[in-house]
Amino acid sequence: LTRAHFIPDALDEITRYLAQCKASIVVVSGGLGPTTDDLTRDAAALFMNVPLVEDALALEKLTSLFAARNVALTPNNFRQCLFPQGAEVLYSTVGTAAGFRLERGEQNFFFFPGVPREFEWFCQTYLNLEKTSHQSSTLLFFGRGESHLENDLAGIEELNVSVGYRAAYPVIELKLSGASQDVQHALSFAKTRTGQWLIAEDDESLSARIGRLLKQRAMTVATAESCTAGGIAAEITRISGSSEWFHEGFVTYANHAKVRALGVLTPTLEQFGAVSQEVACQMALGAQRVAESTYAIAVTGIAGPTGGTELKPVGTVHFALAAPDGVWHRHFVFRRQSREGVREATIVAALTFLLHHLEERLKDYPTLGPYAAEDVMTETGPHESPLSRS
Amino acid sequence: LTRAHFIPDALDEITRYLAQCKASIVVVSGGLGPTTDDLTRDAAALFMNVPLVEDALALEKLTSLFAARNVALTPNNFRQCLFPQGAEVLYSTVGTAAGFRLERGEQNFFFFPGVPREFEWFCQTYLNLEKTSHQSSTLLFFGRGESHLENDLAGIEELNVSVGYRAAYPVIELKLSGASQDVQHALSFAKTRTGQWLIAEDDESLSARIGRLLKQRAMTVATAESCTAGGIAAEITRISGSSEWFHEGFVTYANHAKVRALGVLTPTLEQFGAVSQEVACQMALGAQRVAESTYAIAVTGIAGPTGGTELKPVGTVHFALAAPDGVWHRHFVFRRQSREGVREATIVAALTFLLHHLEERLKDYPTLGPYAAEDVMTETGPHESPLSRS
């Protein structure tokens, strides 16, 4: 893919753009729906200087689809059966919009619906690009800044790959592209140099990696969430089959819920506040006990934008991991982040904490940071000090 | 905004693109970081045919920022202090990258960091576009297909606005643009015609709308989630201050958790299965009782891709709303969706269910569908039949 362009929904703009495209394969996404702002088919006909003609098979498919669903066709639906004369119609089994293909000289223009699920299906079904030996792989890192990662990876460009970094808060993405065997070689190099920060690869997400390790050991994890309010449990259960390692989670947003559901002690809340090491540890131990799980992850923090104090600014989050060998604690301040940013960082940090324990990286890498080059998190408290179980 | 272009991280491509830009204001995002693939500043210098020069103030700011965080500067960080000679340096208080502004004839080129949080700050701080009377507003609809919505809105184009539809599963977005007073007029028109499907507007999200209504009445809501596993609670608590109306949620993924935490009866699970009207209603009533909340929303469904049967295909979800006047039930099948699609649709449908109750729309609009034009959901079961409380 050499270029990507967004064109407004205007007939002349789309037509002009098609005319000036030089690529041998042009994929156009969107504008094939039934509404009046769906102008791609009209622009394609103008561009080829041909009329729009109705395709009988498309009409038949649309009519029977609506009949099967017992829904009336509206007049605008019929526009979806019109195609530029001479186009190859590309029928769909995943939506109401068909696509089409046009040829001009050596160029091939593919017109696909823009609904992401449908677009993906059309690419897989109709875009039979020749397989190449070119490969592109992505590694995700957490807890290390972009410029430090680049220093760790000094020399990787000499392995004949193209290297791209992207700060996609709270993680850093490293994308390696090139000939397959060069990329494989560079991946090994990158993992050796930066493995302690690696949390996911393009073929295995953080949740999938954690799930695989728990499943192998027939272990389970429970969650006890305050500031993320279910976001960690939702992330763990993205993985199909996660009911094998995840049975239950607790969203204890209010203090009285922490007390009732997890057995957090009221005097602890009063003495240390809800956002504290002590409460996080009691939440984790409570969740582990009630859910009868091997592990429990607990988070309590200040997502903001209000509620921060000088001692506990917005972004302060306490993490606790109840494990078979005791309860572990971490403490981050995710600085200068929006409410959503703090919550997203908390989800990744919580799962990373569990991953580190499962991969026995706690001792090898006793600190997670600093991540301060990009100023997104700082470890400020005691961390990973095993406490005795209460 | 008339055009958007994605350019690869290649010096000649960026330079060539800058040279051919005709717009009076060009905003360039990204490529100002410290790593070797950050080439925008080099391309800008080539384009203007000037050298890169170090900015003393930028260097001072960077050095003190790193010192304050107690992090070592790496050599690549110093690249962030280089700017094309003659550029106006645009300093940042939200990250390590400064931006810059170049003039060529009547054109203004703004170069901003690409990290979304920083880009947004630069736009707000440095892009002082004149205020216009132009306005653009978005309405979000759930439960109605795109082509039916367009039919409902027949005649809206005559109000002198430009109208755009976008299917952003599970919702349909309607965007209206034009002169402010025309847009206001069109918004009223659209709400009158399609108000029963409206769930959010650009200045108030679904969660914010629900929060406002609950807060006005000093009411609370609890959640009991199986297939979404915390996603509904996480959505409700996106809103700052949501601790006033949300105290607690239950993520009961396994059957035994439904029994223990919510008091679902084992014989009910055995007779009807976990994905059933009966279990959904017991989950909602249990959550309402345990959390002592005014409302409780419960969902139980088959997110897939495995676990479907002929009677309960993947996408089957039962919703229950425990309210002061009894427990209400809905049943959807979100067809042909990915696991993530089913979960996202379930979150929106669950919150819409509560919204309908809060806005007393249950009786006016007894059915939510059909949504079948785009084949994303079909109501198949009994719905909104108030049951007696168990």
Side-chain angles (χ1 to χ4, degrees), chain B residues 100-116:
Chain B
F100 55 94
R101 187 179 67 83
L102 292 173
E103 276 179 41
R104 186 181 62 170
E106 300 292 297
Q107 288 182 290
N108 263 289
F109 291 79
F110 291 87
F111 296 83
F112 295 160
V115 176

Side-chain angles (χ1 to χ4, degrees), chain A residues 260-298:
Chain A
R260 196 197 43 69
L262 301 171
V264 172
L265 300 171
T266 303
T268 310
L269 281 163
E270 284 166 358
Q271 186 179 351
F272 301 101
V275 178
S276 63
Q277 171 176 352
E278 291 76 9
V279 168
C281 290
Q282 287 185 12
M283 286 171 68
L285 290 167
Q288 184 190 37
R289 184 184 68 244
V290 177
E292 299 179 51
S293 57
T294 322
Y295 291 97
I297 312 175

Side-chain angles (χ1 to χ4, degrees), chain B residues 76-384:
Chain B
N76 45 16
N77 288 123
F78 293 106
R79 297 188 63 227
Q80 296 195 282
C81 303
L82 298 176
F83 301 91
Q85 198 169 49
E88 178 193 0
V89 179
L90 310 173
Y91 301 99
S92 171
T93 63
V94 291
T96 59
F100 55 94
R101 187 179 67 83
L102 292 173
E103 276 179 41
R104 186 181 62 170
E106 300 292 297
Q107 288 182 290
N108 263 289
F109 291 79
F110 291 87
F111 296 83
F112 295 160
V115 176
R117 190 178 58 101
E118 298 179 30
F119 181 76
E120 203 172 301
W121 183 89
F122 271 85
C123 287
Q124 282 164 6
T125 307
Y126 290 112
L127 210 57
N128 295 311
L129 302 175
E130 276 171 48
K131 300 222 168 178
T132 69
S133 60
H134 189 273
Q135 183 187 340
S136 169
S137 288
T138 304
L139 300 177
L140 292 190
F141 299 94
F142 176 74
R144 184 83 165 157
E146 193 176 356
S147 54
H148 284 84
L149 274 179
E150 183 176 45
N151 264 9
D152 299 340
L153 292 173
I156 196 166
E157 284 87 352
E158 290 155 30
L159 300 177
N160 217 12
V161 291
S162 105
V163 181
Y165 294 90
R166 197 166 75 92
Y169 187 81
V171 300
I172 304 287
E173 276 182 22
L174 170 69
K175 191 170 178 184
L176 301 171
S177 323
S180 292
Q181 77 180 50
D182 292 332
V183 170
Q184 288 302 327
H185 191 184
L187 282 172
S188 307
F189 177 89
K191 289 182 192 178
T192 309
R193 294 288 188 93
T194 58
Q196 66 267 51
W197 319 108
L198 181 69
I199 58 166
E201 309 179 33
D202 45 10
D203 52 354
E204 189 175 49
S205 69
L206 178 53
S207 294
R209 188 163 175 158
I210 287 172
R212 173 173 55 78
L213 294 168
L214 289 171
K215 187 175 172 176
Q216 277 169 2
R217 302 166 198 185
M219 289 175 165
T220 58
V221 61
T223 52
E225 304 180 61
S226 190
C227 57
T228 49
I232 298 171
E235 187 58 40
I236 291 172
T237 55
R238 271 180 192 269
I239 309 302
S240 176
S242 51
S243 57
E244 287 191 52
W245 55 88
F246 178 85
H247 297 162
E248 184 165 13
F250 303 85
V251 181
T252 53
Y253 214 57
N255 282 355
H256 63 80
K258 295 178 180 73
V259 172
R260 196 198 45 69
L262 301 171
V264 172
L265 302 172
T266 304
T268 309
L269 282 163
E270 284 166 358
Q271 187 180 348
F272 300 101
V275 178
S276 62
Q277 171 176 351
E278 292 76 9
V279 169
C281 291
Q282 288 185 12
M283 287 171 68
L285 290 167
Q288 186 190 36
R289 185 184 67 245
V290 177
E292 299 179 48
S293 57
T294 323
Y295 291 96
I297 311 176
V299 297
T300 175
I302 302 162
T306 60
T309 63
E310 201 174 333
L311 278 176
K312 295 179 183 175
V314 166
T316 302
V317 184
H318 286 269
F319 300 78
L321 175 67
D325 60 346
V327 58
W328 300 70
H329 170 257
R330 279 180 187 176
H331 171 197
F332 285 114
V333 182
F334 302 109
R335 294 184 192 280
R336 305 193 211 183
Q337 291 298 322
S338 66
R339 179 176 181 84
E340 213 41 40
V342 171
R343 284 160 50 111
E344 281 169 22
T346 301
I347 293 169
V348 175
L351 293 174
T352 300
F353 196 0
L354 175 58
L355 180 71
H356 283 182
H357 200 284
L358 291 170
E359 296 190 340
E360 296 178 352
R361 292 202 243 160
L362 288 183
K363 279 162 203 143
D364 297 346
Y365 310 103
T367 64
L368 236 198
Y371 198 107
E374 278 67 33
D375 196 32
V376 289
M377 61 181 70
T378 316
E379 285 200 299
T380 60
H383 40 82
E384 298 170 6

